[in-house]
């Protein structure tokens, strides 16, 4: 389960970061209206990723 959440957090973080850059700013670099939503989504996916990484058991070499 934690591995699935790691993957969801990572992919969601990358996609929301891409969405923040692509839809959150215009050509001149000014912030648009939807940038707040994209930045919140980016932060939440990053926190999910960190939480899942901290809970996943570390495999030790035999």
């Amino acid at each position: 389960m934690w591995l699935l959440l790691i993957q969801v957090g990572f992919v969601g973080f990358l996609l929301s970061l891409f969405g923040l850059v692509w839809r959150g700013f215009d050509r001149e670099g000014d912030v648009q209206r939807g940038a707040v939503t994209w930045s919140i989504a980016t932060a939440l996916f990053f926190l999910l990723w960190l939480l899942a990484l901290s809970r996943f058991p570390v495999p030790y070499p035999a």
Side-chain angles (χ1 to χ4, degrees):
M1 182 68 183
W2 291 114
L3 185 60
L4 176 67
L5 289 177
I6 289 171
Q7 293 172 350
V8 168
F10 178 70
V11 171
F13 173 71
L14 289 180
L15 289 177
S16 62
L17 191 64
F18 178 74
L20 175 64
V21 171
W22 185 46
R23 302 292 289 169
F25 299 98
D26 60 3
R27 290 183 183 180
E28 288 79 29
D30 296 329
V31 178
Q32 290 185 348
R33 209 169 34 121
V36 173
T37 307
W38 284 108
S39 61
I40 290 172
T42 303
L44 289 178
F45 276 119
F46 186 72
L47 288 175
L48 174 68
W49 187 24
L50 288 182
L51 176 74
L53 276 175
S54 68
R55 304 287 180 172
F56 191 73
V58 177
Y60 293 105

